[in-house]
Amino acid sequence: SDNNGRKYVIGVSQCSEDIWRDKLNNELVMGTYQHDNVVLKFASANDNDKLQKEQISQFVKEGVSLLIVSPNQIHTISSVIDEAYEAGIPVILCDRKTDSRKYTAFIGSDNYEAGYEMGQFIAQQLSGKGNVIEIGGLKGSSPAIERDRGFTDALKAYPDIHIVGRYYADWLENRGEAVMDSVLRQGLKIDYVFGQNDRMATGARRAAEKHGEKEIKFVGIDALPVPGGGMEGVRDGRLMASYIYPTRGDLVMQLALNIL
């Protein structure tokens, strides 16, 4: 249906570029194929709050019909998303939240549940006893906060499992490696590493290998079915487990079209 010849422009503001977001973006594009009255405009902020604010302001100036935003951090870009919403542009928050109530819809996976499940998995693997470190994503982002909460809550039931360190590596593989490298230099005894995504877990594992540490086990989140993704990591034994964190751009696009 062509909605009486109306043309819709959807602005997509992504906080960063990575294989998870590439997959989501591709699914959004595919979602427009059967609607020749919908145009997508993408902006990526490369984890830069200031840039993301500018990009969203630009979408507002252009008067886009709807905004899909994955906010980098909870607090930092709320104000500009509020502006869009107050200007009458429907806002879908995708995958991440802000600390404001000014949005039309949120769609995303349950990050608390993801963290909780990985905590349970590690507790079972360690038979309730051992030392664990958590490598979190971007400190002020909602997935990092919620995954940590779920993970911590799961381990409360196991007094003999100790979270001996919490570090942040901004979702990046090389940062995960650097964090793990410095942890191992401190000589901490570690049994398991929970990386809040597969890339950080993979980087951490590389550091452990360099240090000759063969016994430490690693888990992540995302389980992307792409080359170098978490599915392969689990299959090849680099990761003990990963939690499927679906992109589902098709559902995001369906939601956008329903709102429009």
Side-chain angles (χ1 to χ4, degrees):
S1 69
D2 218 316
N3 303 334
N4 323 324
R6 286 200 60 181
K7 285 267 183 239
Y8 295 113
V9 178
I10 298 176
V12 181
S13 168
Q14 291 282 19
C15 49
S16 55
E17 282 179 50
D18 54 58
I19 51 177
W20 191 89
R21 292 189 190 284
D22 288 346
K23 183 169 180 287
L24 173 59
N25 290 343
N26 289 336
E27 290 162 356
L28 290 174
V29 171
M30 282 163 69
T32 64
Y33 287 164
Q34 57 281 46
H35 305 274
D36 51 12
N37 59 331
V38 178
V39 176
L40 282 180
K41 288 188 170 180
F42 290 96
S44 169
N46 290 321
D47 306 305
N48 180 328
D49 296 339
K50 188 167 163 290
L51 181 57
Q52 189 167 28
K53 285 174 94 158
E54 287 165 9
Q55 289 170 339
I56 292 170
S57 289
Q58 183 58 34
F59 281 143
V60 174
K61 272 198 203 79
E62 291 170 16
V64 295
S65 324
L66 181 142
L67 203 52
I68 296 171
V69 188
S70 193
N72 197 38
Q73 300 190 61
I74 280 194
H75 308 296
T76 40
I77 67 160
S78 295
S79 58
V80 72
I81 295 174
D82 291 355
E83 277 167 38
Y85 184 78
E86 284 161 9
I89 299 171
V91 174
I92 297 176
L93 294 182
C94 175
D95 165 56
R96 299 187 187 187
K97 301 174 179 137
T98 70
D99 54 6
S100 166
R101 305 299 303 157
K102 293 181 178 174
Y103 60 91
T104 313
F106 169 77
I107 184 166
S109 297
D110 187 335
N111 282 294
Y112 177 89
E113 178 66 19
Y116 193 90
E117 288 292 326
M118 298 323 280
Q120 288 282 49
F121 176 83
I122 288 175
Q124 284 154 9
Q125 292 287 307
L126 288 175
S127 308
K129 197 175 167 62
N131 287 351
V132 178
I133 70 165
E134 178 183 18
I135 301 178
L138 182 71
K139 195 170 187 178
S141 69
S142 61
I145 293 162
E146 290 167 13
R147 288 173 193 184
D148 170 66
R149 237 185 43 235
F151 184 68
T152 306
D153 284 356
L155 292 182
K156 278 179 185 158
Y158 302 92
D160 292 330
I161 291 185
H162 305 287
I163 301 175
V164 294
R166 275 195 182 79
Y167 308 89
Y168 291 92
D170 306 336
W171 308 115
L172 302 171
E173 188 166 328
N174 61 345
R175 296 273 302 117
E177 184 173 355
V179 161
M180 190 69 188
D181 185 60
S182 69
V183 168
L184 291 170
R185 285 175 199 278
Q186 295 165 31
L188 277 177
K189 164 87 178 79
I190 299 156
D191 301 296
Y192 246 92
V193 175
F194 167 45
Q196 284 190 354
N197 73 0
D198 295 331
R199 286 198 306 275
M200 295 186 296
T202 301
R205 186 173 190 273
R206 194 176 306 124
E209 281 174 353
K210 280 185 193 159
H211 283 260
E213 296 281 354
K214 302 239 188 326
E215 300 306 309
I216 304 173
K217 306 276 198 297
F218 298 84
V219 298
I221 289 177
D222 278 347
L224 283 175
V226 298
M231 287 268 189
E232 270 189 8
V234 173
R235 181 196 70 193
D236 299 342
R238 291 189 300 275
L239 300 174
M240 296 302 291
S242 179
Y243 184 93
I244 295 174
Y245 191 67
T247 45
R248 293 313 302 266
D250 55 332
L251 293 182
V252 180
M253 184 50 72
Q254 198 50 60
L255 177 61
L257 294 168
N258 290 349
I259 291 169
L260 290 171

